Amino acid sequence: VVWIHFNVEDEDEIYIANLESAFPALTRLTDNGGEKEHPNNHGSERIVWEGRMTYLGGWEIWLYNKYTTPRFAQFTDNDVTDRYADLSSAGSFAWLQGNTMFEEVHYWYEPGHSESVISNDCCPTSNWSNEIPSADDGAVVWRSYDRVGSEGFKVLLWDGALTDITDDIEGHMTYRHSLYAGTIAYEYGGGGSTVIKYWDGATVQEIGPGFNASLHDGKIAYEYWDGDWEIRYWDGVTIHEITDNDYNDTQCSLHGSIIVWVGRPPGSTDQIFWCDVTE
């Protein structure tokens, strides 16, 4: 599990813990200060995040690689915003480049050391503005919006070629996609009626009320509101209640049988929690 420890403003650092160990030890990976957000990883070998060195500075993408020297370094260096990097397999990742209404989805292909703009010719050359991408195993999914045209929202899937899957997943009302091996979990609806849905590549299944889905191998962890935020888990058949308490549990992430989330027990600050759903 990877997270950011907020020390004081402009002094955030990234920490990691190996949950496969009987006694997970905390390791500090960065030591360069500045602000950091949205780290994500594949094990302890590769991590991507967005950072900026000062409060008024520009956001850039940073990389950590266990096998390089130095182990972490700034990846982008430009005059536009680079945010929301999502790591795929083998060190490849997608991210959003540009400012509000002028975003492009970029993809870094690590085996070939090449960068591609994979969004569908975003503004100002056309009408589309792109939202946060989700990447996995050489594919990327995201939602676009026609700001001045008449086509509304579209959900696009890129796996070397661009495919419009809006109708397949009822995409005009989808949010926060989580992609795994060509399948997608996502929020559908809006306001208090938001539900989690799952697309297996052919059909859509409604799981139940919830937010912030995290998909892995046909299973989904997600947030559920019952007066406080709780964590639930769908194993492909049954919904399981992971937490049920009087404080908020949020930001869940699922990988294999491990769910990690952030909770704040009474009288405490935010804490990292985890469970193995097989136990």
Side-chain angles (χ1 to χ4, degrees):
V1 56
V2 172
W3 70 96
I4 294 173
H5 179 73
F6 298 95
N7 298 313
V8 295
E9 186 180 52
D10 294 344
E11 292 186 12
D12 306 331
E13 302 298 351
I14 292 179
Y15 285 72
I16 187 169
N18 182 3
L19 299 184
E20 295 180 351
S21 169
F23 302 98
L26 311 185
T27 301
R28 175 173 165 169
L29 293 185
T30 63
D31 57 2
N32 62 334
E35 290 186 279
K36 300 175 178 66
E37 290 189 0
H38 306 116
N40 62 90
N41 66 304
H42 277 265
S44 61
E45 298 182 354
R46 299 178 189 271
I47 303 168
V48 299
W49 68 92
E50 60 201 66
R52 59 181 179 178
M53 299 312 297
T54 66
Y55 178 70
L56 296 177
W59 289 101
E60 305 286 358
I61 304 301
W62 290 71
L63 306 181
Y64 168 88
N65 188 333
K66 181 179 179 179
Y67 304 105
T68 61
T69 302
R71 289 194 171 183
F72 68 89
Q74 185 175 321
F75 175 77
T76 61
D77 186 9
N78 51 46
D79 296 326
V80 295
T81 299
D82 296 279
R83 301 200 72 173
Y84 306 111
D86 194 42
L87 188 64
S88 179
S89 61
S92 302
F93 59 93
W95 76 99
L96 205 58
Q97 183 179 100
N99 298 315
T100 304
M101 297 192 300
F102 293 92
E103 305 92 348
E104 292 280 14
V105 179
H106 286 236
Y107 184 74
W108 173 257
Y109 179 60
E110 175 63 21
H113 285 263
S114 61
E115 179 179 336
S116 301
V117 182
I118 61 174
S119 51
N120 59 334
D121 297 324
C122 183
C123 14
T125 57
S126 70
N127 302 327
W128 294 96
S129 182
N130 299 296
E131 297 183 355
I132 298 172
S134 177
D136 180 74
D137 197 24
V140 183
V141 65
W142 73 96
R143 191 175 76 157
S144 291
Y145 179 68
D146 186 348
R147 295 182 294 114
V148 297
S150 58
E151 296 183 76
F153 287 105
K154 288 182 176 293
V155 177
L156 303 174
L157 175 67
W158 179 89
D159 57 4
L162 199 60
T163 305
D164 183 347
I165 60 169
T166 310
D167 293 338
D168 297 302
I169 66 170
E170 305 165 287
H172 295 289
M173 292 288 289
T174 65
Y175 307 86
R176 297 188 181 183
H177 306 91
S178 181
L179 177 66
Y180 181 85
T183 65
I184 303 171
Y186 54 93
E187 295 178 14
Y188 180 85
S193 61
T194 300
V195 298
I196 300 298
K197 291 193 175 186
Y198 173 63
W199 182 60
D200 63 7
T203 59
V204 171
Q205 181 175 353
E206 182 174 317
I207 308 306
F211 303 84
N212 193 27
S214 179
L215 170 68
H216 188 269
D217 196 22
K219 286 45 171 212
I220 304 171
Y222 59 96
E223 298 169 11
Y224 174 80
W225 176 257
D226 65 356
D228 297 287
W229 289 108
E230 310 291 356
I231 305 300
R232 289 190 170 185
Y233 169 70
W234 180 68
D235 64 8
V237 178
T238 304
I239 295 174
H240 304 270
E241 197 172 64
I242 303 300
T243 66
D244 184 16
N245 48 50
D246 57 359
Y247 58 87
N248 289 327
D249 298 292
T250 60
Q251 303 178 55
C252 59
S253 179
L254 173 67
H255 185 81
S257 63
I258 302 294
I259 304 175
V260 179
W261 67 93
V262 175
R264 179 178 288 189
S268 177
T269 57
D270 288 343
Q271 305 290 323
I272 307 293
F273 292 85
W274 69 282
C275 75
D276 187 334
V277 294
T278 62
E279 297 180 353

